[in-house]
Amino acid sequence: DKISLFNNEGNSVAFSTDITEPAAVAKFTNTAEYTAPETIYAVYPDRGGVQKLTDGIINNFRIAGGQTAVAGSFDPAYGSAVGVSDVNGNITFKSINSLIKFTIGGKKAPAKVTFTNGGARNIAGLFTYDTITGAVNSGDGAKAISLTPAAGDAFEVGETYYIAVIPGGNFANMTLDFDGTVVRTVEGAKYADETNDFLVGKIINLGTVAFPDDEPE
């Protein structure tokens, strides 16, 4: 696995680990030249050097409009996280995206699931993170994200899935659809704070959902 650390010029440098199992702590190393600033900021996942830290703003985070379904989890390519060093040089990460959670009910599983924000906020595309205020700001992108299984795989009834989205304001009239059929409509305010913002790192649980003609009797 790989992370990026920003050097004293704000450029990202890749560090990697050979660890293959989930762990609370991991040691990352690199082979490139790296001059550490006084406070080290890191990001996950590594994006091949395209990210930069300028005046406290980290740019070029990305969440795709098409994601791969993972039963009980989310597409690991879009679990954006930021870490900061402590006085001992250890780096602790926190998630900066939000997650849409749902469980497939009924007897029939969809082939494709789409989550759409009816408000002005792009929930997929590029975004930035302010290391000083914690604010997330989206740029060019889309207001809908589709979730599909990997080739040769399929959604399963009874399983829970997650969709990674860019958090922030202007979420309204959210919909979740199965194969083009809306199965859940939710007002954004139900899951927002007093400023109508989806909080960074928040999980929005839409509960158990099924095709309208496949609800249990």
Side-chain angles (χ1 to χ4, degrees):
D1 211 348
K2 288 185 178 181
I3 61 174
S4 293
L5 271 63
F6 294 98
N7 62 20
N8 62 341
E9 295 181 343
N11 298 315
S12 59
V13 179
F15 283 69
S16 63
T17 181
D18 293 331
I19 194 169
T20 57
E21 298 295 329
V25 178
K27 183 178 180 179
F28 288 79
T29 59
N30 82 319
T31 56
E33 181 179 350
Y34 177 74
T35 303
E38 183 176 348
T39 299
I40 299 173
Y41 285 95
V43 295
Y44 176 85
D46 167 64
R47 295 205 62 222
V50 303
Q51 290 182 286
K52 192 174 180 65
L53 174 61
T54 304
D55 297 328
I57 306 294
I58 303 174
N59 66 9
N60 276 323
F61 285 99
R62 178 176 176 267
I63 286 179
Q67 299 176 21
T68 301
V70 179
S73 188
F74 58 91
D75 189 330
Y78 306 112
S80 306
V82 172
V84 60
S85 62
D86 60 21
V87 294
N88 297 315
N90 298 315
I91 299 174
T92 301
F93 283 85
K94 71 173 182 178
S95 174
I96 63 166
N97 57 274
S98 291
L99 293 172
I100 306 301
K101 175 183 178 181
F102 65 95
T103 301
I104 298 177
K107 299 178 181 179
K108 180 175 63 175
K112 179 180 178 181
V113 175
T114 302
F115 177 79
T116 302
N117 172 34
R121 184 77 168 188
N122 285 331
I123 58 174
L126 297 176
F127 63 102
T128 63
Y129 177 76
D130 190 322
T131 62
I132 299 171
T133 66
V136 171
N137 289 296
S138 61
D140 293 337
K143 298 183 180 68
I145 296 174
S146 295
L147 189 68
T148 53
D153 203 355
F155 283 112
E156 295 183 34
V157 172
E159 289 286 357
T160 297
Y161 298 88
Y162 296 81
I163 302 172
V165 301
I166 302 172
N170 295 312
F171 278 74
N173 301 318
M174 303 180 298
T175 59
L176 188 77
D177 76 60
F178 286 0
D179 299 336
T181 299
V182 174
V183 295
R184 182 60 49 88
T185 300
V186 183
E187 285 296 328
K190 180 176 179 180
Y191 297 96
D193 66 5
E194 63 275 5
T195 64
N196 199 33
D197 279 359
F198 272 23
L199 300 181
V200 171
K202 186 173 182 179
I203 297 176
I204 297 91
N205 187 1
L206 300 185
T208 299
V209 289
F211 283 101
D213 58 354
D214 193 29
E215 296 283 357
E217 296 181 358

